[in-house]
Structure formats: C-alpha cells, structure tokens
Amino acid sequence: MTDGITAPGPIRHEVLAAVLRVRQGSLQVLLWERAREPHAHRWSLPGGALGVGEGVEASIRRQLAEKVDLGQVSHVEQLAVFSAPDRMPGDRVIASAFLCLVPEHLDPEVPADTGWHPVESPPDTAFDHGAIVLRARDRLRAKLSYTNIGFALAPPEFTISALREIYSGALGHRVSATNLQRVLSRRGLLEPTGRTTKPGRSGGRPAAEFRFAQDSVAVTDAFAVLRPPAAPR
Amino acid sequence: MTDGITAPGPIRHEVLAAVLRVRQGSLQVLLWERAREPHAHRWSLPGGALGVGEGVEASIRRQLAEKVDLGQVSHVEQLAVFSAPDRMPGDRVIASAFLCLVPEHLDPEVPADTGWHPVESPPDTAFDHGAIVLRARDRLRAKLSYTNIGFALAPPEFTISALREIYSGALGHRVSATNLQRVLSRRGLLEPTGRTTKPGRSGGRPAAEFRFAQDSVAVTDAFAVLRPPAAPR
DNA sequence: ACAAAAGTGTTCGTTGTACACCCATGC
DNA sequence: GCATGGGTGTACAACGAACACTTTTGT
C-alpha cells in the first residue's frame, strides 16, 4: 500500500500552464515555439520540471514568473494530471496541468518565441498540449457560469459592455449585456464605482463603471438542484 | 521500502483513492490501518506507487483490483494532485488522488486491516489523507447535482425511495422522493423497468422499479446561466 | 376499515431569457 | 432633432421545492 513505494524507473514530473486571456473578444492561450527536437517548431505550453522542495502550484507560479510577471496572473488552479506513458517520447514525464488567467488590461512581456494564439484555432501543438488547452477552455467556460471567476479576466474597473465583450469572448457565444448585468448583480458580484465613462464620438449614454466585489474565486451558484431543505421558520 | 530518513532522492509518485459508497443512508470511505511508522495505527487511503509504464488512472484501477474487485468500482475520476513538500515525512512523494465509487448493492471483500468509515466522522487519518477524503466528498456532492453520477452509487435497478436513501446519504441531507423523481425524470436519466416491488409487511403501494438510462457519467445540466442564445426558428 | 407507502397534481417562488421601452450624450 | 449606445421594466417560460391529495397494497 503506501508503504514500500518504489519507483522502478526515473519518472520525472513537470508542471504546465494553459494561460488564457481574452483580447478583442477572443479567447487566447500563451504558447511557446519549441526550438529543439522532439516536436521542434511545434507550440507548447509554458512550464518545466518540478523543483525538489516545491509544490506543484508554487512551481508553476515560479516558472510563469520567469516569463510573465507573476502579479499579472490573476488566477491559478489545478486542471488535471496527464500521465499517459507515451505522452512524450523518451523519458517518462508526468505533467500537472494548470489553468491560469490574465486580466484583459494587462499585457505581460513575453519572450520572442512565445505568443498568444486563439484557443479555437491553435497552431500545431506539441505532445498532448492541445488536449490540455481544451480542458482549460472547458473548465473556464463552466466556471464562468457558477463562480465569480470573471474577475480574473476583467480589468479592475469596467463597464457592463466591456464585461460583456469579455464574457462573450471567453464563452464563445453572444452574451446579452442586459442579462449579464442582472445575473451578476443578483448574485452580488458587482458593485458600482459610482463613476461613469464618457461616450465615444458617436454619442450614447455614459456607461456606469463597476468592479467585482471579490477578487478571489468563489462558488456563487452551488447546487442548482437537490439543495438542502429550507430551514423552518 | 526505505521509510526512514533518507537523503533527498528522486521525487516519487503515488496514486491514492478515496473510495466512497453509501450504506444505511450514510456516506462511507474505505480506509486502511497503517501497521508501521510513520503514522502507525492511523488510517490511510488505498493506493501505492505508480508503475513505470502505467498511467495514473490505470495504476489506481490496478491497485484497487488487488483489494476490491475492479468490476465493483463503478466510477473513477481524478480529484487533484497533492504535492506539498512536507506532506509525508522522509522522501518526497507526490500523490495523484482519485474519487472512486462503489454501488450500494455490492460488498467487495476487503482485507482485515481495511474497513469502511463514515465520511462525516472518520478515524485519525494519516498524512493529508483526511483532506483528500473531504475533497472527494465535496466533488461527489457537487456532481450529484449536475450529472448522472448517481448511477455509480445505485444498484442496477431500484425504487425511488431506495434511490432517495442513497442521494440523501451522499448529500448529507434529507431529499424528497417526489422531487428527486421529478428532477431525474425531467432530465431523462431514469427509465422504468416495468416491474414493481412487493410492499413490506406493513403494507403500502408497490413501488415501481427504475434504472439509470446511462451507465457512464455525463453532464446533464451544463450552464445554469449564461447559456448560448436560443437558435431562431 | 384502516394504516402505510408510493405516486401525482398543484401551487408557489425564483431564476434566466427575451424584448420593448426609456435615458443621456454627441453631432 | 436624431442617431447611438446605456440602462430599466416587464413578460414569459422553465425549474425546483413544498405540500395536499390520490392510489394501491397489507393487516
């Protein structure tokens, strides 16, 4: 059982991040072009080997800090372990994959060989990284619906139509500003800053500015069904 | 093997399973009493070292088959990676944790030093295994609400009140048979077998028998909110 | 006849969507 | 004034919870 753990071969452990952001209404992922074999010139996720005294989340945060300023990553969460024996040629490598988010207003410096690519039509990906990106995308989409995770994609302050653009890009379909407003307000996720933004040259009513009430992820709509019976009163 | 203090060797990888079932309306987890140090006499999750040519899911299935007949495990899913450097004394060990379910009608043979314990009041647990059990419990509870995962806890055929007992035990609160029926039927998860069960000695109307329409896990209630706009017709 | 258990019908509140309408600004 | 974009009000349908009521059995 847990006694007698032996690792007969050199199993290595790496951490990988699917770093997502929304720009111009489209969901993008940060990819890095491999220079060397295997899979040279294919695009892969940022990450690397796990350090000895390091937990997986600390490791991915550290490794991202070497490319993206850590403060610019607004959310980090475990996605899954990818462990197929043949997922990489050569040595056995197990990957802990993460979903990371960058807010829309930030533009972290990234090395020359890395760039942002649309999640819906990514370039040739290395190893199983394409599957990881899809998992990240699906996880984000699901969580937009029942958590406040939108805060991690949005700038600190925003108008509803700017937020609509972000949600729309992340979800991959049109979102109504009216209903987005209502849903998020009803759940108490939004609070007005009190200020408004000036309309553009084409006129229009000035838009009210909002911010997210909380800046850490929380489940806002647990148990749609089969919830505990109401307390008698 | 070398369970004592050793020089910082290679990072090892283990797989652990929180195997859950419902019995007599209470959610139970399979735990094993450690014979040796560290954490002797504390209770730990079944699992063990990852084999060389083995993916993590294959590994946990194999290791469970050594204790529980594999056919009796009705569902296996990844929970998370536990990787805190000090999660176990001695060597560095990273754990991939799984949620596994056993249906109510099966009673797999387990070794003498393992047993089923109530999730709500578990005995002293070893290492971080207590936290893993809680994660498993929460994941199960959440998924009961938006997937058909109940099939993995229920026998192949059942009455609504038997199913109510199972859901109630797993969720930890009273569930109304009326509404459970309605919710699961509306989603198309239940189909009648056509047969009924005889009432007990105290009388009562015979209960109709049902089965789950699908025996693999599927999301049945995706996107409570922010769903794509209705297709025009 | 009565109790017990199962199942159905109905009401209610809440939620989310759709859509019409009003508001504030630039030109 | 009028176009434009922002915001609110309202109608509607779907869903789930609660509960009353009916159905079918055993004693």
Side-chain angles (χ1 to χ4, degrees):
Chain A
M1 299 217 179
T2 31
D3 276 334
I5 293 167
T6 44
I11 298 181
R12 294 186 306 174
H13 198 108
E14 69 175 349
V15 291
L16 295 173
V19 185
L20 303 185
R21 71 170 188 184
V22 176
R23 275 301 171 92
Q24 283 107 31
S26 111
L27 188 62
Q28 302 179 327
V29 59
L30 186 64
L31 295 175
W32 160 69
E33 186 177 12
R34 292 181 60 83
R36 290 179 294 177
E37 294 296 342
H39 289 204
H41 305 302
R42 303 179 74 166
W43 295 80
S44 64
L45 295 173
L50 180 67
V52 207
E54 202 179 42
V56 285
E57 183 171 330
S59 181
I60 196 64
R61 295 192 111 107
R62 172 181 62 77
Q63 309 215 27
L64 284 182
E66 295 167 7
K67 300 180 182 51
V68 187
D69 175 19
L70 177 57
Q72 317 233 22
V73 177
S74 46
H75 176 69
V76 174
E77 92 178 41
Q78 267 195 43
L79 215 44
V81 175
F82 290 78
S83 65
D86 60 348
R87 62 175 289 274
M88 291 179 78
D91 284 355
R92 179 78 194 280
V93 183
I94 294 177
S96 281
F98 285 79
L99 162 64
C100 304
L101 300 177
V102 174
E104 200 201 33
H105 66 295
L106 295 179
D107 207 350
E109 290 270 331
V110 297
D113 54 356
T114 70
W116 297 95
H117 297 266
V119 164
E120 296 306 328
S121 57
D124 248 22
T125 48
F127 316 120
D128 52 2
H129 294 197
I132 296 176
V133 171
L134 290 185
R135 283 281 280 272
R137 182 199 65 180
D138 293 346
R139 177 81 133 257
L140 171 62
R141 288 186 176 168
K143 286 213 165 182
L144 281 172
S145 164
Y146 67 93
T147 71
N148 63 346
I149 204 171
F151 83 88
L153 293 172
E157 298 177 340
F158 47 83
T159 65
I160 295 297
S161 55
L163 191 63
R164 190 197 60 73
E165 183 93 352
I166 292 171
Y167 270 75
S168 175
L171 289 170
H173 65 252
R174 206 106 195 96
V175 172
S176 138
T178 300
N179 296 331
L180 182 64
Q181 226 268 33
R182 203 155 345 218
V183 166
L184 298 185
S185 294
R186 187 139 53 184
R187 296 183 175 174
L189 304 192
L190 295 183
E191 47 190 35
T193 67
R195 279 175 300 155
T196 57
T197 62
K198 299 254 284 258
R201 340 128 196 59
S202 59
R205 176 171 168 173
E209 257 189 10
F210 293 84
R211 63 175 153 255
F212 275 95
Q214 213 184 339
D215 63 344
S216 64
V217 74
V219 172
T220 58
D221 200 29
F223 302 164
V225 340
L226 302 177
R227 43 177 169 263
R233 53 196 168 93
Chain B
M1 185 126 326
T2 54
D3 250 2
I5 296 98
T6 49
I11 299 180
R12 295 184 302 175
H13 199 110
E14 67 175 349
V15 290
L16 296 172
V19 185
L20 303 186
R21 72 170 188 182
V22 176
R23 276 302 171 91
Q24 284 111 29
S26 112
L27 188 62
Q28 302 179 328
V29 58
L30 187 64
L31 294 174
W32 160 71
E33 187 177 12
R34 291 180 60 83
R36 288 180 294 178
E37 293 296 341
H39 288 204
H41 304 302
R42 301 179 76 164
W43 295 80
S44 65
L45 294 172
L50 180 67
V52 217
E54 201 179 43
V56 285
E57 183 170 332
S59 182
I60 197 64
R61 294 192 113 107
R62 171 182 65 76
Q63 309 214 30
L64 284 182
E66 295 167 5
K67 300 175 183 60
V68 186
D69 174 19
L70 178 57
Q72 317 234 22
V73 177
S74 46
H75 177 69
V76 173
E77 90 178 43
Q78 267 195 45
L79 255 187
V81 176
F82 290 77
S83 66
D86 59 350
R87 62 176 290 273
M88 292 179 76
D91 284 356
R92 179 79 193 280
V93 183
I94 294 178
S96 281
F98 284 79
L99 162 64
C100 304
L101 301 177
V102 174
E104 200 202 31
H105 66 295
L106 295 180
D107 207 348
E109 291 270 332
V110 297
D113 54 356
T114 71
W116 297 94
H117 297 265
V119 164
E120 295 307 327
S121 57
D124 250 23
T125 48
F127 315 120
D128 52 3
H129 294 197
I132 297 175
V133 171
L134 290 185
R135 282 282 279 274
R137 181 200 65 179
D138 293 346
R139 177 80 132 260
L140 171 62
R141 287 184 177 170
K143 287 213 163 180
L144 282 171
S145 165
Y146 66 93
T147 71
N148 64 346
I149 204 173
F151 84 87
L153 293 172
E157 299 178 337
F158 46 82
T159 65
I160 295 297
S161 56
L163 191 64
R164 189 197 60 72
E165 183 92 351
I166 293 170
Y167 270 75
S168 174
L171 288 171
H173 64 253
R174 205 104 195 102
V175 172
S176 137
T178 300
N179 295 330
L180 182 64
Q181 228 266 32
R182 198 141 8 202
V183 166
L184 298 185
S185 294
R186 187 139 53 187
R187 295 184 176 172
L189 303 193
L190 294 183
E191 51 189 31
T193 67
R195 279 176 300 155
T196 58
T197 61
K198 300 256 284 257
R201 355 156 187 31
S202 61
R205 177 170 167 172
E209 256 191 11
F210 292 85
R211 62 174 155 255
F212 275 95
Q214 213 183 341
D215 63 345
S216 63
V217 74
V219 172
T220 58
D221 200 30
F223 301 162
V225 9
L226 304 178
R227 44 177 170 263
R233 53 197 168 93

